[in-house]
Amino acid sequence: MPNLPDKNNCCGCSACIDSCAKKAITLELDRNGFYYPVINHNLCVECKACEWNCHILHQDEIRRNDRNQETLFSCWTTDKDLLRRSASGGAFAQLASDFLEIGDSLVVGAELGKDGLVRLVVIDKKEDLWKLQQSKYEQCRSEDIYKSVKKKLSQGKRVLFSGLPCQIAALYHFLHYKNLERLFTIEILCHGVPSRYLTDLSLRLKRARSIHSYRTKSKGWYDGNRTVYAMSDGKIIEEISTQEDFRFKSYLTYSCLRKSCYGCRYATMDRVADLTLGDFWYGGEDKSDYQNYDGTSLVIVNSSKGVFLWQRSEKLIKIPVSFEMATRNNQAIYMPTSTYPLILSDDIYKIKKMPVVFQAALFQNGFTNSPIRSLLFKMFFFPLRRVKAKEKAKLTAIVRRKELDKLKNRGKINED
């Protein structure tokens, strides 16, 4: 039988599924709410194509960008409609819109479907761009997308592929770095993929039909980390604050991510995509010089193709920033999520059996909506959180210093 990565290493990219001509592999939820490939032994012919196309098993073949080409920017689009519908500064939407103007061009991105699942889909016109906008804090299903992109490239189409860093690496390895002339890639900075059970429990607590969006700008970008729900009666209701938002607060504890996310191979400055996008969470006193109230994106240009995409987007306000500024409040740029009080990923199936009130308290790691539970968690969890916070600060400081030293040695910066 094929020897695919175990649950500590599999990122759920689905490249193995696209590799199987016999359709012997499917992506299924495990008891903890994470998607993993499952092999049907009755259909498998042991051709090992899934192994051959697995980027996790072939890390030595993954190409990293030349950091001498790396440049960092804060930016936002001047297109007010695109900016309004984007989670941050609208950089992706503007880049994708400009790309679609080239002709014979397609864009791949994540869409939140009516069934509540997030999938990578292909669009070929600007009118559908809204489907790919906004952040989606879910595992993104990507079955069939690699085969589809390979076919489109062979037909002479230009493809702008956006996804998580692991999905970008999966695509490149699936193609084995062939026929890449018309392929451009954008990776979205990722803090880790949470268990699907977080969504299920949040819908139950909120008595909602589905998640309408994972962020909102109704109070501006700075206060946008709030979930918006679609209720059974058709109403759209958003959380009052991040502190009151069970799902977002639970996600921000990073206690129930895929096991592979804690050791992510792509959360490093040695990037795999042409462009890297995220939020520009800069907290300096001069932040007004670099941020827009309605949303600010961070863009890292990593390659010559990235330069091409970046330079042809004339509707973006582009402000050069330093590595120190970009990474001050964004660990995902240079290292994986790390050092948190509780890691619950292996025990979610046990937590499901508890009363909902205790489930909510555990997932939030001390961030709770109830004053009584808040008092209990201040007594038991907050001391532990302070210890872990010190450990994390020490670790991240070491990694950031190493990256800054690399830049200094190459002459890209003169001081921190």
Side-chain angles (χ1 to χ4, degrees):
M1 284 291 110
N3 186 23
L4 295 175
D6 61 19
K7 289 189 175 182
N8 290 322
N9 294 288
C10 175
C11 64
C13 70
S14 299
C16 56
I17 296 174
D18 277 21
S19 304
C20 186
K22 299 298 181 180
K23 298 184 179 181
I25 309 177
T26 54
L27 200 65
E28 299 181 12
L29 277 176
D30 73 353
R31 62 184 182 178
N32 290 312
F34 300 106
Y35 286 102
Y36 289 99
V38 176
I39 300 173
N40 184 329
H41 296 262
N42 295 322
L43 296 177
C44 179
V45 295
E46 299 191 44
C47 67
K48 303 298 181 72
C50 53
E51 288 186 23
W52 187 57
N53 286 326
C54 176
H55 64 103
I56 297 296
L57 296 178
H58 298 278
Q59 281 293 294
D60 58 327
E61 298 177 15
I62 300 301
R63 300 177 188 176
R64 306 284 179 160
N65 288 304
D66 180 2
R67 290 198 60 191
N68 286 313
Q69 297 188 48
E70 168 194 304
T71 50
L72 299 86
F73 299 86
S74 73
C75 78
W76 56 89
T77 178
T78 56
D79 186 317
K80 293 183 179 180
D81 187 49
L82 287 183
L83 182 61
R84 176 181 56 81
R85 289 189 278 126
S86 298
S88 53
F92 164 73
Q94 189 62 66
L95 290 162
S97 177
D98 294 340
F99 188 82
L100 288 171
E101 291 180 354
I102 298 176
D104 282 333
S105 299
L106 307 170
V107 174
V108 176
E111 177 188 20
L112 175 60
K114 293 181 179 180
D115 59 359
L117 298 180
V118 179
R119 297 180 177 86
L120 286 182
V121 298
V122 181
I123 66 168
D124 59 3
K125 52 182 179 292
K126 290 185 180 183
E127 291 75 16
D128 290 332
L129 190 56
W130 64 271
K131 298 177 181 179
L132 312 186
Q133 292 183 261
Q134 280 286 339
S135 300
K136 289 97 176 176
Y137 299 107
E138 299 277 4
Q139 172 77 57
C140 183
R141 303 285 295 266
S142 48
E143 301 100 306
D144 298 324
I145 198 66
Y146 309 110
K147 290 190 296 185
S148 176
V149 170
K150 184 176 182 179
K151 182 178 179 180
K152 299 298 183 184
L153 290 172
S154 67
Q155 294 172 344
K157 300 287 186 181
R158 292 183 182 85
V159 178
L160 177 61
F161 187 100
S162 67
L164 302 182
C166 56
Q167 292 170 327
I168 304 296
L171 174 64
Y172 278 133
H173 190 67
F174 184 85
L175 298 172
H176 293 278
Y177 293 94
K178 297 178 180 178
N179 195 22
L180 301 183
E181 294 80 9
R182 291 172 173 259
L183 175 65
F184 300 79
T185 55
I186 294 177
E187 59 185 3
I188 309 301
L189 286 173
C190 176
H191 299 280
V193 174
S195 168
R196 176 68 191 180
Y197 186 65
L198 269 191
T199 293
D200 295 340
L201 183 56
S202 67
L203 294 176
R204 183 177 174 186
L205 291 170
K206 204 67 180 178
R207 298 180 181 178
R209 184 183 73 247
S210 62
I211 290 180
H212 179 73
S213 63
Y214 294 86
R215 288 169 66 172
T216 173
K217 286 184 177 177
S218 65
K219 298 181 181 180
W221 171 60
Y222 293 110
D223 194 22
N225 291 344
R226 293 176 291 117
T227 310
V228 181
Y229 293 94
M231 310 305 286
S232 299
D233 59 3
K235 293 182 179 179
I236 303 298
I237 297 178
E238 64 182 50
E239 293 286 7
I240 298 173
S241 68
T242 305
Q243 292 291 338
E244 298 291 322
D245 187 339
F246 162 76
R247 194 193 183 286
F248 218 107
K249 214 60 189 174
S250 296
Y251 175 64
L252 292 179
T253 65
Y254 306 120
S255 62
C256 49
L257 306 179
R258 289 184 74 93
K259 296 299 290 293
S260 61
C261 294
Y262 295 108
C264 177
R265 293 163 170 81
Y266 305 108
T268 167
M269 285 302 296
D270 298 312
R271 313 306 305 191
V272 294
D274 297 317
L275 294 174
T276 302
L277 269 59
D279 287 272
F280 184 64
W281 296 120
Y282 173 59
E285 293 181 359
D286 57 344
K287 65 181 180 181
S288 61
D289 295 334
Y290 298 94
Q291 291 181 323
N292 176 34
Y293 174 81
D294 294 319
T296 310
S297 298
L298 167 69
V299 176
I300 307 176
V301 182
N302 300 311
S303 69
S304 57
K305 285 186 175 180
V307 172
F308 169 79
L309 292 171
W310 185 239
Q311 290 182 344
R312 74 182 315 276
S313 283
E314 298 179 353
K315 292 183 179 180
L316 287 174
I317 301 295
K318 306 170 185 178
I319 306 175
V321 298
S322 68
F323 173 85
E324 192 279 332
M325 294 169 66
T327 60
R328 186 176 296 187
N329 294 308
N330 205 332
Q331 178 180 331
I333 299 174
Y334 59 91
M335 68 180 291
T337 295
S338 60
T339 320
Y340 288 91
L342 291 177
I343 302 298
L344 306 172
S345 308
D346 286 334
D347 300 311
I348 294 175
Y349 75 100
K350 298 177 183 177
I351 298 173
K352 290 179 182 179
K353 301 175 183 178
M354 298 179 179
V356 171
V357 63
F358 291 116
Q359 292 186 42
L362 276 172
F363 285 127
Q364 292 178 106
N365 281 199
F367 293 95
T368 113
N369 302 335
S370 163
I372 297 177
R373 280 178 280 152
S374 180
L375 177 62
L376 292 174
F377 271 78
K378 283 180 181 178
M379 294 171 59
F380 295 107
F381 272 94
F382 282 10
L384 178 60
R385 289 185 67 85
R386 282 196 291 268
V387 172
K388 291 294 185 179
K390 289 181 180 179
E391 293 177 5
K392 179 187 175 184
K394 183 177 180 180
L395 177 62
T396 55
I398 292 172
V399 177
R400 286 184 77 235
R401 171 53 55 188
K402 288 182 178 179
E403 291 296 338
L404 285 166
D405 288 343
K406 289 179 185 178
L407 293 173
K408 190 179 297 183
N409 291 336
R410 291 205 308 272
K412 296 200 74 171
I413 57 174
N414 295 318
E415 58 183 21
D416 300 342

